[in-house]
Amino acid sequence: MKFTTLAAVLVIALAQTSRPAGLHIYVVDVEGGGATLVVSPGGQSMLIDSGSPGPAAERDSARIADAMHAAGLTKIDYLFTTHYDGDHVGGAPAAAAVAHFDRFFDHGEMDPKWEQNRGIEDRYRAYLTLAGGKRTIVKAGDTIPFAGAHVDVVAAQGAVIAKAINHGGQANPYCADAEVKEPNKTENSQSTGVLVSFNDFSFLDVGDLTWDKEMALACPVNKLGRVSLLLATHHGFFNDQSGAPALLWGIQPRVVIANNGPRKGMASTAYDRIQKIKGLEGLWQSHLALASDPAHNAPEEMIANLEPSAECKGHWIRVDVQSNGQFTVTNGRNDVTKSYRAK
Ligand SMILES: [Zn+2]
Ligand SMILES: [Zn+2]
């Protein structure tokens, strides 16, 4: 082989492996629902929630497909459903058509005693049709195989982990004055949540887990340790049903990403609470919170979408994690990136 030919082969080989090995996370904009794509260092992939039902499902599955394309995926191995509300599982049939999931993880049978979004029976039946025979019901304390990374289930069906993980287990000083709320009676309280760890990096996504369950994870001891990246619970503490300060401040995330909608989550109270996290290095948002002023939104360059849903292009936010723990967040709208050094 001539030198020039060899050089060309090398260039092509390098181009094909240009995305450095590591963990990659895409927070897909599904207009205030849930859809987060995680790709492990070994190349396994998991979609955490699948967006909304009805006419929105086409939009959401197209955005999931866009993130797959950006990640170089032609399929997604797992669908992990946090709970059965429409904005988390309603898009599952449309998402399955583009992602061809092999396995499905969820918290177990839908129980009508928990207050749910309308249409739950149809939604649940559609989900079961997809998942039948490929379904794994998870419990708090379970782990999910995920090549090159570690997935701990930290909450499911109203229970949380019994034992601390991720170097947690210390008394949490924020419990002393913590506001206690009544046990929540909605499907949100049944949310499954995961901590995805890769060496010293950790990512917490607990869906729409409610305040009372967040308190169970955080008090009297913080069972989750310190977390690198938090997907702000419940789209940025929707209606203060989630976002217990004892958890938020106890786990001390370095970076928070909110999968809020234009008018869902990330109220100014949520913004203020996030800013009080000790050592916070960055807040990113899927959407500009239209009801809040600029002083109660992340800096504009760190917001993926600025418009109301009707005009929204649905840009994602990507997180690339290196094996040494350094991670970089990229705004899909403007390619603004920020790197957070290994600690
Ligand atoms: Zn939700
Ligand atoms: Zn949007």
Side-chain angles (χ1 to χ4, degrees):
M1 193 183 294
K2 277 199 285 189
F3 176 74
T4 47
T5 315
L6 178 65
V9 167
L10 282 174
V11 166
I12 290 163
L14 282 171
Q16 282 170 343
T17 57
S18 61
R19 177 67 42 90
L23 181 77
H24 305 284
I25 301 167
Y26 292 78
V27 178
V28 179
D29 174 27
V30 288
E31 305 301 325
T36 300
L37 174 62
V38 187
V39 185
S40 84
Q44 272 194 310
S45 50
M46 168 167 68
L47 184 67
I48 305 175
D49 294 328
S50 49
S52 288
E58 289 305 310
R59 173 199 72 201
D60 292 353
S61 62
R63 293 177 181 180
I64 290 163
D66 180 53
M68 288 170 64
H69 181 75
L73 299 176
T74 53
K75 67 184 296 305
I76 299 176
D77 298 313
Y78 303 159
L79 176 63
F80 184 97
T81 297
T82 61
H83 65 299
Y84 300 125
D85 276 335
D87 57 323
H88 296 260
V89 76
V98 299
H100 315 289
F101 307 112
D102 291 328
R103 288 183 69 181
F104 296 78
F105 297 87
D106 61 65
H107 72 55
E109 300 319 302
M110 184 275 287
D111 184 341
K113 93 171 180 209
W114 305 105
E115 199 183 301
Q116 336 231 358
N117 296 162
R118 273 190 302 143
I120 176 72
E121 287 82 9
D122 292 346
R123 215 158 49 230
Y124 187 60
R125 212 173 301 122
Y127 171 73
L128 287 184
T129 302
L130 289 175
K134 297 183 270 183
R135 181 179 181 211
T136 303
I137 295 170
V138 292
K139 293 192 168 48
D142 287 354
T143 59
I144 295 173
F146 199 43
H150 191 82
V151 178
D152 285 295
V153 177
V154 302
Q157 213 170 40
V160 303
I161 42 173
K163 284 195 199 121
I165 56 171
N166 192 34
H167 311 296
Q170 296 78 19
N172 181 350
Y174 297 110
C175 295
D177 303 317
E179 183 185 346
V180 173
K181 294 196 180 189
E182 288 288 300
N184 187 285
K185 295 187 170 65
T186 70
E187 169 67 12
N188 296 315
S189 70
Q190 305 299 295
S191 286
T192 45
V194 285
L195 186 77
V196 181
S197 313
F198 173 44
N199 296 335
D200 292 335
F201 173 89
S202 53
F203 166 56
L204 184 67
D205 179 349
V206 292
D208 292 353
L209 197 67
T210 49
W211 188 290
D212 51 327
K213 308 301 181 194
E214 290 180 312
M215 287 293 288
L217 280 168
C219 294
V221 300
N222 165 18
K223 290 177 172 172
L224 297 176
R226 287 205 56 187
V227 164
S228 313
L229 174 69
L230 172 69
L231 187 70
T233 313
H234 213 160
H235 319 290
F237 316 155
F238 177 69
N239 282 356
D240 269 347
Q241 290 169 12
S242 307
L247 178 72
L248 182 69
W249 300 342
I251 63 174
Q252 260 182 285
R254 296 174 62 192
V255 173
V256 176
I257 300 178
N259 57 349
N260 63 316
R263 296 189 183 276
K264 182 177 177 187
M266 282 312 291
S268 57
T269 49
Y271 178 89
D272 288 339
R273 212 176 297 151
I274 289 167
Q275 294 305 319
K276 286 187 191 152
I277 298 167
K278 224 188 256 175
L280 180 74
E281 294 174 59
L283 166 65
W284 300 71
Q285 294 173 203
S286 283
H287 269 272
L288 180 68
L290 296 175
S292 297
D293 61 5
H296 294 86
N297 271 285
E300 192 177 291
E301 62 174 9
M302 293 160 81
I303 302 175
N305 301 285
L306 306 175
E307 307 86 353
S309 293
E311 291 123 59
C312 184
K313 304 276 190 300
H315 296 292
W316 40 249
I317 296 169
R318 189 180 78 223
V319 183
D320 299 307
V321 188
Q322 298 175 27
S323 57
N324 67 2
Q326 174 166 324
F327 61 105
T328 302
V329 183
T330 300
N331 182 343
R333 174 173 64 87
N334 53 12
D335 274 335
V336 164
T337 69
K338 290 189 193 300
S339 285
Y340 302 95
R341 251 182 288 163
K343 272 196 173 167

